[in-house]
């Protein structure tokens, strides 16, 4: 992401704030030396850190203080109030820290601490293993987060990251949102500049397609027959878009969206198109629809369900999302499906055809488990891992969209396709490859964005028997709880960020 200069807002915190004016757990934004600073109180302690999240510049003052951390209201990153360290993805870079001093009942923000602030390692010396060679298969959310965390933990061994993509790890969620809509410049897309990998001794190999894992010989084999030995292996191969078995789906104007290259191809198509058909009315399909509408393209969405996203979010949010898209000019063909595509149109099951200059199929993904399967790893609709994200083969870990793990919050074995979960799993797997023995305990979180409406979701409810709405969905101000047997399993929200964070904390504590 690009850096936006902080604006000078609120009081000059260097001049002092009456300490009693800030209650325990409260925050105030001001400025010091031209930089935007968050002053926060925890008990009798006062902390001053950068006011903007290092993910997408979310306003931390609108988030939630939990112990001595602050959580970002937008996508639930978490920063240490003591050190500014980014403790949880999706933020990786720390925020700045300032000294504070209390004099005569006032708290003064002083010097900006010289960065980077040193942080304790999570894997202590006695337990720390130093495998000589770690190989990560996958250059996406989980793979990147694992590599970053390994070097952050001062892992000194050889670290190879293999990605079949052409681009270094990118901000994948953006590929269907601002980037596709034309609102995000190119420099927002890489998770880190190219130099990050060489500077940190990460041997990132792009266009590297792993075809085989030899678990007995502890090596991975690429399609050019290169064999790479490992002492620890992380499989983070993600998921791939499902291709409908219909006539015409192989035509060049029928696209799916997973990679930066896919997004660029759709943008290129959109530059000369008048009309697009999107197959599928779930998250990616509808985000693509929104972005194409922003580009002024006529968009038709074809999907078999009666209400978009109903299975995951319930009918109320689903109906709201449908109306929102209709207000922006999207034309739905629900309860219908495509039977084939030709160069000019999409044929529909219910009869008729829709003209289309291009087609985007967003009908779901399937985890890329072929490598794991051929290596003999235990599978169950994904790669089975234990609470430490290790597979049934010692030394081989899996994280992200492919991993099915024992979720301590629901007591079920679950697999999700969420950006933040993949990153946090990558971080946990990294620690455990160094014998950190940390259980993956994060409450699942995802967000989706449709025009100017963000939907946040914490927890996991594959099925629920009661749905409870607080607020007004149509007014874009609501909290929706999904309960089973009386217990809240998940909470979706629109513009109720603090409540969403509080729900996350409750779910965490319920399982603790
Ligand atoms: C357009 C889009 C928008 C999204 N928006 C959101 C959102 O708003 N919120 C949200 O929570 N989630 C979102 N997601 C989902 C999120 O991006 C995924 O859950 C996340 O990327 C999963 O991370 P991962 O590391 O498991 O897989 P990926 O990020 O897909 O990375 C997998 C990597 O493995 C590589 N790979 C696969 N097989 C091989 C092989 N054999 N050899 C070498 N490399 C291989 C791939 O090239 C890729 O680099 C979105 C996904 C897409 C596609
Ligand atoms: S802006 Fe803070 S987590 Fe995304």
């Amino acid at each position: 992401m690009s850096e936006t200069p902080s604006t000078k807002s609120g009081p000059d915190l260097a001049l002092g704030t009456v300490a009693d004016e800030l209650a325990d757990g409260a925050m105030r934004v001001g400025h010091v030396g031209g930089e935007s600073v968050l002053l926060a109180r925890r008990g009798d302690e006062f902390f001053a850190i950068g006011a903007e999240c290092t993910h997408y510049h979310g306003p931390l003052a609108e988030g939630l203080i939990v112990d001595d951390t602050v959580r970002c209201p937008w996508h639930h990153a978490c920063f240490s109030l003591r050190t500014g360290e980014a403790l949880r993805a999706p933020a990786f870079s720390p925020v700045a820290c300032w000294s504070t001093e209390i004099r005569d009942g006032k708290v003064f923000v002083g010097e900006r601490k010289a960065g980077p602030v040193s942080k304790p390692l999570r894997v202590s010396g006695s337990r720390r293993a130093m495998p000589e060679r770690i190989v990560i298969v996958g250059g996406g959310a989980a793979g990147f987060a694992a590599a970053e965390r390994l070097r952050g933990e001062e892992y000194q061994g050889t670290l190879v990251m293999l990605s079949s993509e052409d681009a270094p790890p990118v901000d994948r969620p953006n590929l269907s949102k601002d980037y596709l809509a034309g609102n995000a410049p190119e420099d927002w897309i890489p998770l880190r500049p190219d130099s990050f990998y060489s500077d940190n001794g990460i041997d990132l190999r792009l266009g590297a397609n792993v075809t085989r894992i030899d678990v007995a010989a502890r090596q991975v084999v690429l399609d050019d027959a290169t064999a790479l030995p490992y002492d620890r292996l992380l499989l983070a191969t993600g998921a791939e878009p499902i291709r409908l078995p219909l006539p015409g789906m192989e035509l060049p104007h029928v696209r799916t969206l997973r990679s930066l290259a896919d997004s660029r191809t759709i943008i290129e198509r959109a530059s000369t198109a008048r009309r697009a058909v999107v197959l599928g009315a779930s998250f990616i399909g509808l985000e693509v629809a929104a972005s194409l509408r922003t580009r002024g393209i006529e968009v038709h969405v074809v999907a078999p369900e009666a209400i978009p996203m109903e299975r995951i979010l319930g009918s109320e949010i689903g109906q709201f999302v449908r109306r929102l898209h209709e207000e922006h000019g999207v034309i739905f063909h629900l309860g219908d499906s495509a039977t084939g595509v030709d160069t000019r149109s999409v044929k529909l099951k219910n009869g008729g055809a829709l003209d289309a200059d291009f087609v985007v199929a967003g009908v779901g993904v399937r985890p890329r488990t072929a490598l794991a399967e051929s290596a003999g790893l235990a599978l169950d609709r994904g790669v089975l891992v234990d609470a430490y994200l290790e597979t049934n083969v010692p030394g081989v870990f899996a994280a992200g969209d492919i991993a099915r793990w024992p979720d301590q919050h629901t007591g079920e074995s679950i697999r999700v396709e969420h950006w933040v979960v993949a990153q946090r799993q990558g971080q946990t797997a990294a620690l455990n490859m160094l014998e950190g023995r940390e259980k993956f305990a994060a409450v699942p979180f995802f967000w989706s964005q449709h025009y100017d409406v963000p939907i946040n979701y914490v927890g996991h409810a594959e099925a629920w028997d009661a749905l409870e709405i607080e607020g007004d969905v149509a007014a874009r101000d609501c909290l929706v709880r999904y309960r089973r047997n009386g217990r809240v399993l998940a909470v979706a929200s629109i513009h109720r960020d603090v409540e969403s964070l509080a729900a996350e904390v409750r779910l965490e504590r319920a399982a603790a």
Side-chain angles (χ1 to χ4, degrees):
M1 287 290 301
S2 68
E3 290 300 316
T4 305
S6 295
T7 47
K8 214 167 125 172
S9 63
D12 183 344
L13 297 172
L15 299 178
T17 306
V18 176
D20 286 347
E21 282 178 4
L22 210 60
D24 185 10
M27 295 179 267
R28 173 173 297 177
V29 180
H31 61 93
V32 176
E35 287 186 87
S36 196
V37 173
L38 176 80
L39 180 65
R41 179 174 190 166
R42 196 70 189 116
D44 290 334
E45 289 185 285
F46 290 85
F47 303 99
I49 63 170
E52 282 182 2
C53 176
T54 55
H55 178 228
Y56 285 0
H57 308 291
L60 294 179
E62 293 170 26
L64 188 69
I65 291 187
V66 182
D67 303 325
D68 56 358
T69 70
V70 58
R71 295 191 188 186
C72 177
W74 287 359
H75 315 110
H76 295 202
C78 176
F79 296 90
S80 164
L81 288 170
R82 293 185 190 283
T83 64
E85 188 192 352
L87 296 169
R88 294 184 185 200
F92 290 94
S93 302
V95 288
C97 267
W98 282 259
S99 63
T100 58
E101 191 191 350
I102 301 174
R103 274 184 274 129
D104 304 327
K106 279 184 149 189
V107 52
F108 294 86
V109 176
E111 294 291 302
R112 192 184 203 271
K113 293 181 187 167
V117 178
S118 69
K119 61 180 177 62
L121 296 179
R122 288 173 175 77
V123 186
S124 67
S126 56
R127 278 186 299 153
R128 171 171 289 260
M130 275 297 168
E132 272 179 42
R133 291 157 303 197
I134 294 181
V135 172
I136 298 172
V137 183
F144 168 81
E148 202 263 0
R149 177 56 54 91
L150 281 166
R151 287 308 188 211
E153 285 294 305
E154 299 180 2
Y155 169 62
Q156 309 284 340
T158 303
L159 179 52
V160 183
M161 190 165 154
L162 303 164
S163 172
S164 51
E165 289 178 88
D166 299 328
V170 294
D171 183 1
R172 209 176 295 291
N174 219 319
L175 301 180
S176 52
K177 303 181 183 69
D178 283 341
Y179 184 72
L180 187 60
N183 295 333
E186 284 285 332
D187 66 355
W188 281 17
I189 298 307
L191 291 180
R192 282 284 187 270
D194 289 0
S195 56
F196 168 82
Y197 303 94
S198 47
D199 290 351
N200 287 282
I202 300 168
D203 180 3
L204 171 63
R205 303 193 193 179
L206 299 175
N209 194 26
V210 177
T211 51
R212 196 161 59 83
I213 305 166
D214 184 339
V215 291
R218 291 198 153 212
Q219 60 179 18
V220 299
V221 182
L222 307 188
D223 56 2
D224 64 1
T226 307
L228 291 168
Y230 64 80
D231 299 305
R232 301 280 187 280
L233 175 67
L234 175 63
L235 276 180
T237 46
E240 62 196 343
I242 291 172
R243 286 170 200 277
L244 292 170
L246 298 176
M249 293 306 285
E250 70 296 343
L251 288 168
H253 71 305
V254 181
R255 314 303 310 179
T256 54
L257 175 53
R258 185 76 193 178
S259 64
L260 176 58
D262 295 335
S263 192
R264 284 184 176 146
T265 307
I266 296 171
I267 290 168
E268 200 183 305
R269 291 268 164 192
S271 65
T272 54
R274 211 177 53 78
R275 212 171 167 179
V277 170
V278 173
L279 305 179
S282 200
F283 295 98
I284 292 195
L286 289 186
E287 288 184 357
V288 168
S291 296
L292 294 179
R293 285 301 300 139
T294 306
R295 287 180 178 271
I297 289 172
E298 184 179 323
V299 179
H300 292 254
V301 174
V302 178
E305 60 266 36
I307 302 173
M309 302 176 177
E310 184 180 17
R311 191 179 58 79
I312 297 169
L313 296 174
S315 61
E316 292 77 2
I317 292 191
Q319 297 280 23
F320 162 75
V321 169
R322 176 192 175 154
R323 279 194 298 274
L324 176 67
H325 281 272
E326 284 174 340
E327 281 163 21
H328 284 84
V330 171
I331 302 158
F332 282 96
H333 304 265
L334 297 170
D336 207 345
S337 50
T339 55
V341 178
D342 64 26
T343 49
R344 306 190 61 81
S345 66
V346 175
K347 293 198 174 36
L348 300 181
K349 194 172 164 196
N350 291 350
L354 296 171
D355 287 347
D357 297 320
F358 69 100
V359 177
V360 181
V363 295
V365 296
R366 70 166 62 87
R368 279 172 162 151
T369 53
L371 274 180
E373 188 174 2
S374 64
L377 303 188
L379 301 182
D380 173 17
R381 296 157 293 150
V383 178
L384 279 178
V385 292
D386 63 15
Y388 304 97
L389 305 179
E390 194 165 16
T391 69
N392 61 314
V393 174
V396 179
F397 294 75
D401 284 4
I402 59 166
R404 182 172 292 277
W405 81 98
D407 173 42
Q408 64 183 69
H409 308 284
T410 52
E412 294 164 6
S413 210
I414 67 171
R415 187 185 73 76
V416 301
E417 291 150 7
H418 307 346
W419 179 251
V420 168
V421 172
Q423 292 185 322
R424 292 178 182 173
Q425 288 191 342
Q427 293 174 324
T428 298
L431 296 183
N432 291 333
M433 287 193 284
L434 304 178
E435 305 299 338
R437 298 302 284 168
E438 180 181 283
K439 286 186 179 175
F440 181 72
V443 171
F445 166 80
F446 76 81
W447 82 96
S448 184
Q449 176 94 25
H450 303 259
Y451 312 97
D452 58 346
V453 180
I455 302 173
N456 281 5
Y457 182 100
V458 287
H460 183 76
E462 261 168 33
W464 61 87
D465 53 32
L467 181 149
E468 199 178 282
I469 299 174
E470 194 182 305
D472 184 347
V473 180
R476 306 166 180 203
D477 173 26
C478 65
L479 203 69
V480 180
R481 296 188 189 86
Y482 306 85
R483 291 182 186 269
R484 196 162 65 220
N485 301 327
R487 196 172 146 222
V488 176
L489 292 181
V491 175
S493 60
I494 300 174
H495 292 139
R496 293 259 182 135
D497 292 336
V498 173
E499 288 98 323
S500 170
L501 285 166
E504 180 179 67
V505 174
R506 270 196 297 278
L507 287 166
E508 280 166 13
R509 292 186 175 160

